[in-house]
Protein backbone atom coordinates (compact mmCIF):
# COMPACT_ATOMS: atom_id res chain seq x y z
CA UNK A 1 0.00 0.00 0.00
CA UNK A 2 1.32 3.42 -0.91
CA UNK A 3 1.44 6.01 1.81
CA UNK A 4 0.78 9.69 1.49
CA UNK A 5 3.62 12.11 2.06
CA UNK A 6 3.13 13.91 5.36
CA UNK A 7 2.74 17.63 5.19
CA UNK A 8 3.48 20.27 7.76
CA UNK A 9 0.36 21.49 9.55
CA UNK A 10 2.22 24.79 9.86
CA UNK A 11 2.52 25.45 6.19
CA UNK A 12 0.90 22.73 4.09
CA UNK A 13 4.26 21.80 2.61
CA UNK A 14 6.36 18.65 2.71
CA UNK A 15 9.17 20.31 4.67
CA UNK A 16 9.44 20.79 8.39
CA UNK A 17 9.11 24.33 9.67
CA UNK A 18 12.26 25.81 11.26
CA UNK A 19 12.88 29.13 13.00
CA UNK A 20 16.10 30.39 14.55
CA UNK A 21 15.34 33.02 17.18
CA UNK A 22 17.86 35.06 19.19
CA UNK A 23 18.18 32.61 22.11
CA UNK A 24 16.54 29.39 20.88
CA UNK A 25 15.54 27.35 17.83
CA UNK A 26 12.17 25.90 16.86
CA UNK A 27 11.94 22.84 14.64
CA UNK A 28 8.79 21.05 13.61
CA UNK A 29 9.24 17.28 13.98
CA UNK A 30 7.21 16.40 10.89
CA UNK A 31 8.20 12.70 10.94
CA UNK A 32 7.33 11.97 14.57
CA UNK A 33 4.75 9.24 15.04
CA UNK A 34 2.59 9.29 18.17
CA UNK A 35 0.48 6.53 19.75
CA UNK A 36 -1.68 6.85 22.85
CA UNK A 37 -2.00 3.67 24.94
CA UNK A 38 -4.40 3.29 27.85
CA UNK A 39 -4.23 -0.06 29.63
CA UNK A 40 -6.55 -1.71 32.10
CA UNK A 41 -5.67 -4.14 34.83
CA UNK A 42 -1.98 -4.53 34.05
CA UNK A 43 0.06 -6.45 36.57
CA UNK A 44 3.79 -5.99 37.06
CA UNK A 45 4.38 -8.97 34.76
CA UNK A 46 2.18 -7.46 32.06
CA UNK A 47 4.10 -4.19 32.22
CA UNK A 48 7.38 -6.08 31.93
CA UNK A 49 6.05 -7.99 28.88
CA UNK A 50 4.82 -4.71 27.39
CA UNK A 51 8.36 -3.31 27.79
CA UNK A 52 9.93 -6.40 26.24
CA UNK A 53 7.71 -6.05 23.15
CA UNK A 54 8.68 -2.38 22.84
CA UNK A 55 12.36 -2.91 23.68
CA UNK A 56 12.39 -0.35 26.48
CA UNK A 57 11.64 -0.26 30.19
CA UNK A 58 8.13 1.10 30.68
CA UNK A 59 7.84 4.15 32.95
CA UNK A 60 5.11 3.60 35.54
CA UNK A 61 5.12 6.89 37.45
CA UNK A 62 3.29 9.85 35.90
CA UNK A 63 5.62 12.40 34.27
CA UNK A 64 8.43 9.84 33.78
CA UNK A 65 9.98 9.75 30.32
CA UNK A 66 12.12 6.92 28.94
CA UNK A 67 14.02 6.79 25.65
CA UNK A 68 14.85 3.54 23.92
CA UNK A 69 16.79 2.78 20.78
CA UNK A 70 13.97 3.75 18.43
CA UNK A 71 11.09 4.62 20.77
CA UNK A 72 10.35 7.19 23.49
CA UNK A 73 7.65 6.50 26.09
CA UNK A 74 6.05 9.05 28.37
CA UNK A 75 3.87 8.05 31.32
CA UNK A 76 0.95 10.48 31.54
CA UNK A 77 -0.98 8.70 34.30
CA UNK A 78 -1.05 5.21 35.82
CA UNK A 79 -1.44 2.77 32.91
CA UNK A 80 -1.48 5.60 30.35
CA UNK A 81 1.35 6.32 27.92
CA UNK A 82 2.34 8.38 24.89
CA UNK A 83 4.67 6.46 22.55
CA UNK A 84 6.81 8.43 20.09
CA UNK A 85 8.91 7.12 17.22
CA UNK A 86 9.57 7.60 13.53
CA UNK A 87 6.19 7.80 11.78
CA UNK A 88 7.23 5.02 9.36
CA UNK A 89 7.26 2.61 12.32
CA UNK A 90 3.86 3.61 13.72
CA UNK A 91 1.59 1.24 11.76
CA UNK A 92 3.64 -1.86 12.66
CA UNK A 93 3.95 -0.75 16.28
CA UNK A 94 0.22 -0.14 16.59
CA UNK A 95 -0.64 -3.50 14.96
CA UNK A 96 1.85 -5.36 17.17
CA UNK A 97 0.45 -3.79 20.34
CA UNK A 98 -3.13 -4.56 19.32
CA UNK A 99 -2.27 -8.21 18.63
CA UNK A 100 -0.38 -8.81 21.85
CA UNK A 101 -2.30 -6.65 24.32
CA UNK A 102 -5.85 -6.48 22.97
CA UNK A 103 -7.30 -7.91 26.20
CA UNK A 104 -5.21 -5.59 28.41
CA UNK A 105 -5.82 -2.25 26.72
CA UNK A 106 -8.74 0.13 26.65
CA UNK A 107 -7.18 2.26 23.90
CA UNK A 108 -4.39 2.00 21.35
CA UNK A 109 -4.74 4.96 19.04
CA UNK A 110 -2.46 6.48 16.39
CA UNK A 111 -2.51 10.24 16.99
CA UNK A 112 0.18 11.07 14.43
CA UNK A 113 -1.96 12.89 11.89
CA UNK A 114 -3.88 14.84 14.52
CA UNK A 115 -0.88 16.28 16.35
CA UNK A 116 2.06 18.54 15.63
CA UNK A 117 5.40 18.13 17.42
CA UNK A 118 7.68 21.12 17.91
CA UNK A 119 11.24 20.87 19.21
CA UNK A 120 12.58 23.90 21.10
CA UNK A 121 16.28 23.99 21.96
CA UNK A 122 19.02 26.44 22.79
CA UNK A 123 20.15 28.54 25.73
CA UNK A 124 16.86 30.45 26.00
CA UNK A 125 14.49 27.47 25.69
CA UNK A 126 13.83 27.15 29.45
CA UNK A 127 13.22 30.88 29.81
CA UNK A 128 10.80 30.95 26.87
CA UNK A 129 8.84 27.95 28.11
CA UNK A 130 8.80 29.23 31.69
CA UNK A 131 7.25 32.46 30.43
CA UNK A 132 4.48 30.56 28.59
CA UNK A 133 3.78 27.47 30.73
CA UNK A 134 2.28 27.43 34.24
CA UNK A 135 4.93 24.99 35.51
CA UNK A 136 8.29 25.78 37.07
CA UNK A 137 10.76 24.35 34.59
CA UNK A 138 13.73 25.65 36.56
CA UNK A 139 12.73 23.41 39.48
CA UNK A 140 12.47 20.29 37.33
CA UNK A 141 15.13 20.99 34.72
CA UNK A 142 17.81 19.11 36.67
CA UNK A 143 15.74 15.90 36.90
CA UNK A 144 16.81 14.74 33.46
CA UNK A 145 14.06 13.21 31.30
CA UNK A 146 10.48 14.13 32.24
CA UNK A 147 7.12 15.06 30.72
CA UNK A 148 3.88 16.82 31.64
CA UNK A 149 0.53 17.75 30.21
CA UNK A 150 -0.03 21.46 30.74
CA UNK A 151 -1.27 24.62 29.06
CA UNK A 152 0.58 26.88 26.63
CA UNK A 153 -1.28 30.16 26.70
CA UNK A 154 -4.83 28.79 26.43
CA UNK A 155 -4.24 25.43 24.73
CA UNK A 156 -3.49 22.00 26.12
CA UNK A 157 -0.03 20.70 25.27
CA UNK A 158 2.18 17.77 26.10
CA UNK A 159 5.71 18.94 26.92
CA UNK A 160 8.70 16.66 27.42
CA UNK A 161 12.40 16.90 27.97
CA UNK A 162 13.73 13.62 26.55
CA UNK A 163 17.12 14.25 28.19
CA UNK A 164 19.02 17.20 29.59
CA UNK A 165 20.84 18.04 26.38
CA UNK A 166 18.13 17.62 23.74
CA UNK A 167 15.89 20.59 24.41
CA UNK A 168 12.14 20.16 24.75
CA UNK A 169 9.40 18.53 22.69
CA UNK A 170 5.95 20.10 22.61
CA UNK A 171 3.06 18.12 21.16
CA UNK A 172 -0.07 20.07 20.35
CA UNK A 173 -3.34 19.36 18.58
CA UNK A 174 -2.82 20.08 14.89
CA UNK A 175 -5.58 22.68 14.81
CA UNK A 176 -3.57 24.78 17.31
CA UNK A 177 -0.15 24.21 15.75
CA UNK A 178 0.11 27.60 14.07
CA UNK A 179 -1.00 29.41 17.22
CA UNK A 180 1.49 27.48 19.40
CA UNK A 181 4.30 28.19 16.91
CA UNK A 182 3.51 31.91 16.94
CA UNK A 183 3.37 32.01 20.74
CA UNK A 184 6.77 30.31 21.00
CA UNK A 185 8.38 32.37 18.27
CA UNK A 186 6.94 35.59 19.66
CA UNK A 187 8.22 34.91 23.19
CA UNK A 188 11.66 35.95 21.96
CA UNK A 189 10.43 39.09 20.23
CA UNK A 190 10.11 37.30 16.88
CA UNK A 191 8.05 38.72 14.06
CA UNK A 192 5.47 35.88 14.31
CA UNK A 193 5.31 35.34 10.55
CA UNK A 194 4.49 31.91 9.23
Amino acid sequence: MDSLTRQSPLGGVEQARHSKCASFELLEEINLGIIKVVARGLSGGDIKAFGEVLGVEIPTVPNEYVSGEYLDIACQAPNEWILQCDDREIRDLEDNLKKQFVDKTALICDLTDGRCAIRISGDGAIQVLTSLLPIDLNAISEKGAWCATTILSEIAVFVARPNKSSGFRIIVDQSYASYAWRMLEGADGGDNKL
Side-chain angles (χ1 to χ4, degrees):
M1 176 173 141
D2 292 332
S3 64
L4 298 173
T5 302
R6 299 223 26 220
Q7 290 192 343
S8 165
L10 293 169
V13 295
E14 295 177 12
Q15 295 178 342
R17 184 96 184 156
H18 178 257
S19 181
K20 188 166 178 106
C21 300
S23 64
F24 63 92
E25 282 189 65
L26 297 174
L27 176 65
E28 179 187 15
E29 294 182 285
I30 196 170
N31 295 318
L32 184 70
I34 304 163
I35 292 180
K36 171 85 170 194
V37 176
V38 179
R40 56 177 182 218
L42 288 184
S43 67
D46 293 327
I47 291 175
K48 185 175 181 179
F50 184 40
E52 288 171 358
V53 167
L54 297 175
V56 65
E57 186 176 333
I58 303 298
T60 56
V61 176
N63 303 326
E64 279 188 341
Y65 193 97
V66 175
S67 294
E69 187 175 332
Y70 78 100
L71 176 74
D72 290 353
I73 302 177
C75 182
Q76 286 193 294
N79 292 326
E80 191 173 316
W81 300 275
I82 296 284
L83 283 58
Q84 304 145 74
C85 65
D86 187 296
D87 66 342
R88 294 170 293 193
E89 307 291 331
I90 283 292
R91 179 80 50 183
D92 290 340
L93 179 60
E94 182 183 20
D95 290 345
N96 194 14
L97 289 171
K98 285 180 177 177
K99 284 179 197 168
Q100 296 198 34
F101 296 99
V102 68
D103 60 333
K104 298 287 185 180
T105 54
L107 174 74
I108 299 174
C109 182
D110 180 355
L111 302 176
T112 303
D113 293 326
R115 302 291 186 269
C116 176
I118 300 169
R119 170 85 55 180
I120 179 170
S121 59
D123 294 338
I126 287 179
Q127 289 76 20
V128 167
L129 291 176
T130 298
S131 73
L132 296 172
L133 303 174
I135 55 178
D136 185 0
L137 295 178
N138 291 312
I140 57 177
S141 65
E142 295 304 315
K143 289 185 176 184
W146 59 267
C147 63
T149 300
T150 187
I151 295 175
L152 174 82
S153 188
E154 298 178 3
I155 56 174
V157 297
F158 170 81
V159 61
R161 187 167 198 180
N163 62 54
K164 288 172 114 176
S165 63
S166 66
F168 299 86
R169 173 178 287 154
I170 297 169
I171 298 175
V172 62
D173 187 281
Q174 202 174 74
S175 61
Y176 291 110
S178 179
Y179 176 70
W181 187 273
R182 288 178 186 195
M183 290 297 297
L184 291 163
E185 197 173 46
D188 196 42
D191 60 11
N192 296 331
K193 293 180 183 173
L194 284 179

